[in-house]
Amino acid sequence: MRTAITHLRDARVPGFKKESACNARRKSASRYHPRSKMKHTDTFRAALLACALAPWAQAGTIATVAGTGMEGAGTDGPATASALGYITRLAADEQGRVYIADSTNGRVRRLDADGSITTVVSGLNLVEGLAVGGDKVYVATGYERRVLRFNLSDPAAPVYLLAATSRDASGLALSPGNTHLYSVSGGRMGIINLTNETRPEYLNMDELSGISFMAGLPDYLYIAERGGHKAWKSQIPGPGGLTSPSLIAGDGTQGFGGDGGPAAEAQLNEPADVVADSVGNLYIADLGNHRVRRIDGLGLIETIAGTGDALSTPGTPVGDGGPATAAIVSDPNGLLAVGDHTLYVAENTGHRVRRITFDPPAAPTQVQATILNDRAIVAWEHDGDKATGFTAAAYTGGSTPGLLCHAPAGERHCTIDGLAGGSHYGFRVLARNGADVSPAAWSAGYPTPTPLTEADVDLDGTGAAQARVSIGKSPASTCSTVRGLEFTATPPGAPASAPLGVLRFKAEDCNAGSHITVRIDYPPGSLAGLYPWKYGPRMAGGQPEWFRWGTVHGDTVYYTVSNDGIGDSAPNDASTIEDPHAMLPLAALPPAPGPGGAVQAVPALSAWGVALLSALAALLGLRRRG
């Protein structure tokens, strides 16, 4: 099956357009948010729900795990029966327990695996930032504008760390190893060395909000720029300060749009938090859009929770037990990713914590690409039955994909057109299962060939049937001339007759390390039952032989040849690449008689061998007669 090939801008999922029903302004009566100064409305719910149920957004189950949906100061006990007030942040300890910034109640509460909730810190004013490391809880307070450290063994004796600069947008994050505490507030970010509690200021932005880490090699710091409607990442600051952050989402326009496309080209609305899961997916609390957005391993963004509407009357959550994309998510302010299967969402005006569980498919493996001129055939392997489709992307640098192709569940390749000549591309592939995505699998980088020649070549010498042959060279290659481009009869010694003939040519004036890529477009339907075979050495310095070589995609065959390397039938001519190639009705060479199926040659003796054998026979005859 041949898949559609499109440029990324034409490869969006339904509903991608920036101006669509999904982005329609809500015009009904609004209510005023006492702290974030945001407006919330109730109309167009059906249209937003329809947009949320696009083909790429149909998985991920949502459920309430804490809070009643009504603002209040609940008691300890069952978490879903205990009221919360304007939740701002979430954190987790090493045991996987979830900590909740119960903001207007001035408390930090802990959600245990048995579904119970416990107050661990109380008596604060507006808990805005929260981080947990070891037996310590770090809190940024609003009205007091302070960052405090609490030891859970004695929470009544907090340690003052620093003064925050703003109560409206604070976030805290601990570095891997809990050696440094990062604080964002009022458009600035500070870092506290927890051994000496110094706080140099590294970064100024419009208005910083959420901040989080992804541990790994290298470690990354993720920042939500709420006032600028963007999200950023940077490597962990070292002695020289914060490295220049790179944009990961948001074009700076306040609004909603861009699902299915590059995250850097999407529109966000006051992003409040950004976190990473264990396999590299990023999640953004798109507070003003009442959605949670995900950036997958290809750099593409999509909505994974929320319809875009907020509840007009707090109470029973809309959508529990069903797809997260069909649920109402009111002002998602804080996020917490646990592994690659679970995401917790703090609903600020919904006064509840929701949990989204995913069922991602396995990641593809063995990603390879065959490039010829402006086209790449991307192929991969995949085990498992969860995938409903695959997406491949081409990259020329950075993290923003330029070109995409898609394949259904039964396919293991797709084609990307539009590659730029002379560029160097890498490829990534991920598996999809509704809204769930696998980690992205990477290929090595590939240079795009420079066109060398292209011609229609007779298959039978009569002109009745032709194949289009396109030959390109690697960017560093000096190959300048192609001679003898033709299809010939099957040569003696071939493992089978080639019904379409054997393609031959010589590329001349080639330097060491030159690579030739070949594309053959055969007549429609002519490749049924045929397989690509090559004559030449299987490896540099090897003996010429016939072996399977090439990729078939529809009626097109792609393969590569290296000067004095794989497939070059002129290994003794350092400046020439010679290339016999044929489509044969063989999937593999048939085994020949002999031990292990190896071909057994008939011995051929030289004259000296014949004389020696005769002398030996005569000697044996004399002994027998005696």
Side-chain angles (χ1 to χ4, degrees), residues 376-391:
I377 302 293
V378 186
W380 59 88
E381 296 295 331
H382 186 262
D383 295 324
D385 56 2
K386 291 182 182 179
T388 58
F390 301 89
T391 301

Side-chain angles (χ1 to χ4, degrees), residues 458-598:
D458 287 349
L459 290 174
D460 57 6
T462 67
Q466 294 182 325
R468 185 72 171 177
V469 179
S470 305
I471 301 175
K473 62 179 181 178
S474 54
S477 171
T478 61
C479 297
S480 61
T481 305
V482 174
R483 299 184 187 277
L485 182 60
E486 61 179 343
F487 283 91
T488 64
T490 307
S497 176
L500 299 177
V502 177
L503 177 67
R504 293 178 177 274
F505 69 85
K506 289 184 178 181
E508 300 178 344
D509 304 321
C510 301
N511 59 336
S514 287
H515 299 281
I516 292 293
T517 60
V518 182
R519 168 181 169 174
I520 313 171
D521 292 300
Y522 285 97
S526 62
L527 298 185
L530 301 179
Y531 301 87
W533 287 78
K534 180 83 182 67
Y535 184 77
R538 289 178 181 264
M539 61 187 69
Q543 293 298 314
E545 60 180 312
W546 285 96
F547 60 97
R548 282 283 301 273
W549 189 251
T551 300
V552 179
H553 189 63
D555 299 312
T556 303
V557 178
Y558 301 84
Y559 64 94
T560 60
V561 187
S562 301
N563 190 15
D564 295 337
I566 298 176
D568 182 8
S569 295
N572 298 321
D573 188 341
S575 63
T576 300
I577 297 176
E578 188 172 349
D579 178 51
H581 189 277
M583 298 299 296
L584 303 178
L586 288 177
L589 286 174

Side-chain angles (χ1 to χ4, degrees), residues 51 58 65-66 78 92 124 155 184 193 200 299 393 458 463 550 557 596:
C51 289
Q58 299 191 357
V65 294
L124 304 173
V184 293
N193 186 321
D458 287 349
V557 178

Side-chain angles (χ1 to χ4, degrees), residues 64-144:
T64 296
V65 294
T68 63
M70 302 291 291
E71 182 185 6
T75 58
D76 291 351
T80 54
S82 183
L84 302 169
Y86 291 98
I87 310 161
T88 52
R89 301 292 171 194
L90 302 172
D93 61 17
E94 285 81 358
Q95 288 75 44
R97 297 176 295 187
V98 178
Y99 291 75
I100 303 167
D102 190 4
S103 183
T104 54
N105 292 318
R107 302 184 294 186
V108 176
R109 311 189 73 186
R110 188 184 68 221
L111 174 64
D112 291 318
D114 62 0
S116 64
I117 195 169
T118 304
T119 300
V120 295
V121 176
S122 61
L124 304 173
N125 286 315
L126 285 180
V127 181
E128 297 286 348
L130 179 64
V132 177
D135 63 347
K136 298 177 176 60
V137 174
Y138 300 86
V139 176
T141 64
Y143 290 127
E144 297 167 332

Side-chain angles (χ1 to χ4, degrees), residues 10-399:
D10 300 317
R12 319 291 190 181
V13 296
F16 171 79
K17 293 182 179 179
K18 297 180 181 180
E19 299 300 330
S20 66
C22 297
N23 303 327
R25 291 186 177 275
R26 297 178 278 277
K27 301 178 181 178
S28 64
S30 62
R31 67 184 179 85
Y32 183 70
H33 187 301
R35 295 207 337 259
S36 70
K37 299 182 180 181
M38 295 187 58
K39 295 183 178 180
H40 305 279
T41 59
D42 304 301
T43 60
F44 295 150
R45 180 174 299 181
L48 292 167
L49 178 58
C51 289
L53 292 177
W56 276 13
Q58 299 191 357
T61 303
I62 194 168
T64 296
V65 294
T68 63
M70 302 291 291
E71 182 185 6
T75 58
D76 291 351
T80 54
S82 183
L84 302 169
Y86 291 98
I87 310 161
T88 52
R89 301 292 171 194
L90 302 172
D93 61 17
E94 285 81 358
Q95 288 75 44
R97 297 176 295 187
V98 178
Y99 291 75
I100 303 167
D102 190 4
S103 183
T104 54
N105 292 318
R107 302 184 294 186
V108 176
R109 311 189 73 186
R110 188 184 68 221
L111 174 64
D112 291 318
D114 62 0
S116 64
I117 195 169
T118 304
T119 300
V120 295
V121 176
S122 61
L124 304 173
N125 286 315
L126 285 180
V127 181
E128 297 286 348
L130 179 64
V132 177
D135 63 347
K136 298 177 176 60
V137 174
Y138 300 86
V139 176
T141 64
Y143 290 127
E144 297 167 332
R145 304 187 183 186
R146 296 187 298 172
V147 176
L148 305 172
R149 181 178 67 214
F150 294 85
N151 193 316
L152 291 177
S153 62
D154 186 15
V159 176
Y160 170 81
L161 295 179
L162 61 87
T165 59
S166 168
R167 72 177 180 86
D168 291 326
S170 292
L172 296 176
L174 280 167
S175 66
N178 302 330
T179 58
H180 294 80
L181 180 70
Y182 293 79
S183 170
V184 293
S185 178
R188 297 193 302 173
M189 184 179 75
I191 177 173
I192 306 168
N193 186 321
L194 294 179
T195 59
N196 55 27
E197 298 181 359
T198 59
R199 184 182 63 89
E201 293 174 358
Y202 288 119
L203 187 65
N204 287 287
M205 286 186 176
D206 189 4
E207 182 181 325
L208 302 180
S209 181
I211 181 172
S212 66
F213 279 98
M214 177 184 174
L217 295 174
D219 296 319
Y220 281 110
L221 174 71
Y222 293 93
I223 307 162
E225 186 187 359
R226 182 166 171 176
H229 314 293
K230 298 177 181 178
W232 304 80
K233 78 173 181 179
S234 174
Q235 289 186 327
I236 287 184
L242 186 72
T243 59
S244 296
S246 58
L247 181 70
I248 57 173
D251 65 0
T253 303
Q254 184 175 13
F256 172 74
D259 272 6
E265 298 177 10
Q267 294 77 55
L268 305 175
N269 189 350
E270 297 196 19
D273 202 4
V274 55
V275 299
D277 66 17
S278 62
V279 296
N281 295 312
L282 300 179
Y283 300 87
I284 297 174
D286 198 357
L287 186 146
N289 285 319
H290 311 298
R291 290 176 166 92
V292 178
R293 319 275 292 274
R294 178 181 58 209
I295 305 172
D296 63 27
L298 303 184
L300 307 177
I301 193 170
E302 58 190 305
T303 297
I304 55 100
T307 65
D309 205 356
L311 285 174
S312 57
T313 303
T316 303
V318 176
D320 267 6
T325 49
I328 301 289
V329 178
S330 300
D331 290 331
N333 199 88
L335 302 174
L336 173 65
V338 179
D340 64 343
H341 294 80
T342 306
L343 180 73
Y344 291 90
V345 182
E347 288 189 51
N348 186 264
T349 58
H351 312 297
R352 62 175 67 85
V353 177
R354 314 283 284 279
R355 180 178 62 208
I356 305 172
T357 54
F358 302 102
D359 187 22
T365 59
Q366 301 181 39
V367 177
Q368 300 181 42
T370 301
I371 299 180
L372 179 67
N373 301 337
D374 63 346
R375 170 173 287 188
I377 302 293
V378 186
W380 59 88
E381 296 295 331
H382 186 262
D383 295 324
D385 56 2
K386 291 182 182 179
T388 58
F390 301 89
T391 301
Y395 297 79
T396 55
S399 58

